Amino acid sequence: ERPEENGHQDKRLKRDANEEDVEDQNKKLPKRKIVLLMAYSGKGYHGMQRNVGSSQFKTIEDDLVSALVQSGCIPENHGEDMKKMSFQRCARTDKGVSAAGQIVSLKVRLIDDILEKINNHLPSHIRILGLKRVTGGFNSKNKCDARTYSYMLPTFAFAHKDHDVQEEVYRLDRETLEKVNKLLACYKGTHNFHNFTSQKGPKDPSAKRYIMEMYCGEPFVRENVEFAVIKVKGQSFMMHQIRKMIGLVIAIVKGYAAESIIECSWGEEKVDVPKAPGLGLVLERVHFEKYNRRFGNDGLHEPLEWTEEEEKIAVFKEQYIYPTIINTEREEKSMVNWLNTLPIHDFNSSAVGIQANNKNSK
């Protein structure tokens, strides 16, 4: 049968031809360096960064790259080798961690309705909320001066260990909130955070980090449980650093550890620092102050600020991030279970003391 004698075949050929035309037009488009503003709920993912060749650990970037290829922004081989599109994420969020303002930089073909097309190929809990053109040499990780994270937690985490606490009934009093904020403020400035991550020794210069602000906001009630949000802004953070900073403050407020332990943790001795659950951690925004001063008003580039997207960010958090944290906390009780492990930690012994005890017991 010749194509024209069969209507079905004719339609299919037309459709294929149209798709090929679009593909050909896409190929002719020059590639441009852009940044994408991303929001995602991290539950069920092994962090942001893609592990090429490791399919059992699904990451946010796996879904993103797949959507970029399917929408026609990047050729398939760029998905396999991300260096070809100069891909860089601003922050590597850990397993289960969400983001409301993650930034990735990459080279793409600027196709029509680009955001809509990418989002059509993404699950609803991952959204691209904005796009801006940037300078050709822009790298979202290196050009970022600071990152702001939030940590949402049920306030019963701050109840003293000697008090019998009914989780749903507990409400944070003013005095305890002030104590929490006094302790969080101790982290401000530059300190050696080697005790707040793994695989970094006390003499490693990269363990020194600069914290600009850290505080706990006013508590609020959701689904009968009171929550509060801790905000922290720093130049950059190491793996598990924020969760350990918060874990140590909780241990002090609950009465397991002395306040002096924060000062001790900057020293060279190994300190046993507990790591709060990953569930409540959210990458709120990333800051490009130096870049904005230099290129934001040069007439060619826009400053990397997202005031117009604030509304979309807020809606996404209310729709996907907060409900996930609240419901997972209620179903899996990650904070309750973690709080039960605090008595196991030895907050009085340094590594030297522990080794001596081990020798004696042997």
Side-chain angles (χ1 to χ4, degrees):
E1 266 184 335
R2 292 207 306 281
E4 57 268 33
E5 287 167 11
N6 179 320
H8 297 298
Q9 210 170 340
D10 203 15
K11 272 182 197 159
R12 197 177 67 230
L13 281 176
K14 268 186 191 158
R15 193 173 67 241
D16 289 352
N18 286 344
E19 280 172 14
E20 277 170 25
D21 284 350
V22 170
E23 183 57 30
D24 286 344
Q25 279 166 358
N26 285 355
K27 279 179 186 166
K28 285 175 195 157
L29 289 169
K31 293 193 182 67
R32 295 281 177 256
K33 183 60 100 41
I34 59 153
V35 293
L36 296 175
L37 172 70
M38 283 184 83
Y40 51 84
S41 168
K43 192 188 175 188
Y45 288 88
H46 281 256
M48 170 75 183
Q49 190 170 1
R50 196 167 184 218
N51 306 305
V52 179
S54 164
S55 55
Q56 81 258 39
F57 298 121
K58 194 174 168 69
T59 69
I60 300 291
E61 281 175 20
D62 287 328
D63 281 355
L64 173 63
V65 168
S66 165
L68 290 170
V69 171
Q70 288 176 327
S71 61
C73 295
I74 60 167
E76 209 159 320
N77 65 341
H78 286 204
E80 287 146 27
D81 181 0
M82 291 164 77
K83 284 196 197 81
K84 286 185 173 162
M85 55 172 163
S86 308
F87 186 92
Q88 187 56 261
R89 88 274 317 150
C90 199
R92 272 191 315 223
T93 51
D94 292 342
K95 179 183 173 185
V97 174
S98 297
Q102 168 75 285
I103 297 283
V104 297
S105 55
L106 66 159
K107 282 183 178 164
V108 296
R109 303 169 180 141
L110 284 175
I111 58 174
D112 292 339
D113 307 320
I114 182 166
L115 292 192
E116 192 186 332
K117 283 175 182 162
I118 299 170
N119 281 327
N120 284 345
H121 293 288
L122 282 169
S124 59
H125 55 263
I126 303 178
R127 292 287 93 180
I128 306 295
L129 301 179
L131 175 153
K132 288 186 194 288
R133 287 276 301 275
V134 284
T135 55
F138 184 86
N139 173 315
S140 59
K141 185 172 167 232
N142 300 348
K143 291 278 186 274
C144 177
D145 336 281
R147 296 150 177 89
T148 297
Y149 281 84
S150 67
Y151 188 85
M152 183 173 169
L153 75 171
T155 57
F156 62 70
F158 295 123
H160 197 277
K161 66 180 171 61
D162 298 339
H163 297 169
D164 185 28
V165 172
Q166 303 293 309
E167 278 109 31
E168 302 223 336
V169 180
Y170 181 82
R171 296 294 179 260
L172 187 64
D173 59 65
R174 177 66 38 200
E175 198 184 334
T176 310
L177 180 59
E178 280 171 12
K179 184 177 182 182
V180 169
N181 275 319
K182 189 179 121 203
L183 292 166
L184 292 173
C186 296
Y187 288 121
K188 291 204 294 200
T190 302
H191 302 285
N192 185 338
F193 282 98
H194 74 97
N195 274 309
F196 294 80
T197 188
S198 50
Q199 297 132 4
K200 279 204 197 290
K203 297 222 168 15
D204 188 334
S206 68
K208 280 203 166 75
R209 300 286 158 133
Y210 173 50
I211 305 298
M212 296 156 187
E213 62 176 1
M214 193 165 187
Y215 63 91
C216 181
E218 291 294 322
F220 53 92
V221 176
R222 292 284 170 93
E223 312 270 335
N224 298 329
V225 177
E226 188 180 68
F227 286 86
V229 174
I230 293 172
K231 284 261 176 86
V232 54
K233 181 180 181 184
Q235 218 163 25
S236 59
F237 298 95
M238 298 176 287
M239 190 176 182
H240 301 153
Q241 182 185 336
I242 297 171
R243 288 162 63 188
K244 286 193 168 230
M245 289 161 78
I246 291 167
L248 193 57
V249 166
I250 292 172
I252 296 168
V253 175
K254 289 191 84 65
Y256 288 108
E259 285 191 29
S260 57
I261 196 168
I262 294 186
E263 285 294 321
C264 296
S265 70
W266 314 139
E268 295 202 355
E269 299 260 303
K270 187 90 179 103
V271 174
D272 184 5
V273 178
K275 179 177 72 188
L279 175 68
L281 192 59
V282 180
L283 173 61
E284 285 285 334
R285 61 176 53 218
V286 287
H287 307 268
F288 296 96
E289 278 125 14
K290 278 197 203 93
Y291 174 86
N292 287 344
R293 278 200 298 274
R294 188 163 171 207
F295 297 107
N297 299 306
D298 66 357
L300 297 170
H301 305 96
E302 303 169 85
L304 294 182
E305 286 159 358
W306 306 94
T307 35
E308 287 168 28
E309 286 74 19
E310 290 292 345
E311 182 68 25
K312 284 193 235 170
I313 293 170
V315 168
F316 185 89
K317 285 201 288 201
E318 288 295 338
Q319 209 170 352
Y320 292 100
I321 296 179
Y322 294 157
T324 301
I325 293 171
I326 293 161
N327 296 336
T328 308
E329 186 54 60
R330 290 183 68 185
E331 288 159 23
E332 298 175 15
K333 302 217 172 297
S334 62
M335 183 56 79
V336 176
N337 296 337
W338 176 76
L339 291 171
N340 290 336
T341 68
L342 283 178
I344 301 163
H345 289 270
D346 186 352
F347 296 106
N348 300 316
S349 299
S350 66
V352 181
I354 291 164
Q355 281 163 359
N357 291 344
N358 288 347
K359 273 182 189 159
N360 293 343
S361 60
K362 276 176 190 165

